[in-house]
Amino acid sequence: MAEAELLCIGGYSDNDRAALDRDFAPRWLGGVDEIEGLPKADRDVIRAIAFKGHGTLGANQMDALPNLGLIANYGVGYDAIDVAAASERDIKVTNTPDVLNDDVADLAVAMLLAQSRRIVQGSDWVRSGTWAKQGEMALNRKVSGGRAGIVGLGRIGREIADRLAAFKMQIHYHSRSEKDVPDGWVYHADPVSLASAVDYLVVALVGGPETMGYVNAEAISALGPDGVIVNISRGTTIDEAAMLDALENGRLRGAALDVFLNEPDIDKRFMALDNVLLQPHQGSGTVETRAAMGQLQRDNIANFLAGRELVTPVN
Ligand code: NAP
């Protein structure tokens, strides 16, 4: 049998793993740090990597694979890959956009509702028997009709805004340029102006160095003590320390977070906060969407190996 041309890195579902085995007979690695330890003859034949985000895939790993032509990322966010280094080496990068928009937007809206309506605490109130012993739980906060601000009106941000509009919310947004949006949606040229105009700030930016701390202490302060942050983007896009300080000191009403710095070993201060809804980075985590993401990753790999056009190139 020919040596494997594809290197698979990351924790795949059984279905995705079986499909990759069936289609490409690849070589499997536990993490990017194992690449440089492979025998040279094995590294020389690798033409593509199927990457599912653990560790950072940078210039050193790329240089260890002289015939690498494609890094096919599983996921739309490719901030773990040094795309500039890939481009310099004529290595193409692909991702899995669009197929996950609905799920991530659904989760963002569910998190916003769950945080404000205290749905997790309500469930605990019933299960613990507190309802029967003490009666009604404390009142929570209304969502419909509120003011929502989307930071980053890209593919996912737009889906979130469309859903929140159906909750009769006033839609405000910030992007680097104005978008073609329904009448009445309000554009803000910077995130601080956006935060000062809304009750809910929903962050849907790309991650990576360019958006590091994009929602900064000033924006958090502008959102104010009645404001709620929802983050489904990356932990890096918010000044997490400033957000934790504000949450602990009543300078923010709450937060609903699917992403954090240093996942999954997140800052322990989050655990003590009753005004924060925590999710384990599961925005795209449905059976249906993960299957579609796996298929799109494999389509990109198959096209590359056959010399056809890539389906969803990044660079
Ligand atoms: P997208 O369509 O490319 O939208 C990204 C948004 O980020 C756009 O609004 C864009 O601004 C903004 N942006 C990009 N570079 C920027 C920069 N340098 N400065 C300021 N803003 C910048 O991406 P998408 O498909 O909606 O995905 C967005 C992100 O969601 C992904 O990158 C990923 O990190 C995250 N995500 C999370 C999950 C999860 O499980 N929680 C799942 C999927 C995706 P413009 O509008 O000005 O272009």
Side-chain angles (χ1 to χ4, degrees), residues 5 10-12 17 29 34 41 46 55 69 81 86 88 111 133 187 193 202 209 215 219 228 231 244 255 262 276 301:
E5 294 185 311
Y12 289 83
R17 194 178 169 104
L29 290 186
E34 294 174 27
I46 297 296
I81 300 167
E88 279 166 21
M111 287 164 52
K133 279 193 227 122
Y187 176 72
S193 159
V202 186
V215 178
V228 173
N231 191 10
L244 273 163
N262 201 28
V276 180
I301 296 165

Side-chain angles (χ1 to χ4, degrees), residues 75-79 95-98 100-101 104 107 151-158 173-177 179 203-211 214 231-234 237 258-259 281-285 290 293:
V76 67
Y78 47 83
D79 43 307
N95 65 345
T96 61
D98 289 317
L100 40 63
N101 294 353
V104 183
L107 189 76
V151 189
L153 202 73
R155 289 173 292 242
I156 293 170
R158 177 60 196 255
Y173 73 97
H174 162 67
S175 270
R176 290 167 297 179
S177 58
K179 308 282 180 186
V203 188
L205 294 165
V206 302
E210 289 182 0
T211 56
Y214 202 83
N231 191 10
I232 52 77
S233 62
R234 287 287 185 266
T237 60
D258 188 42
V259 287
H281 197 152
Q282 62 132 335
S284 66
R290 289 290 167 85
M293 290 164 64

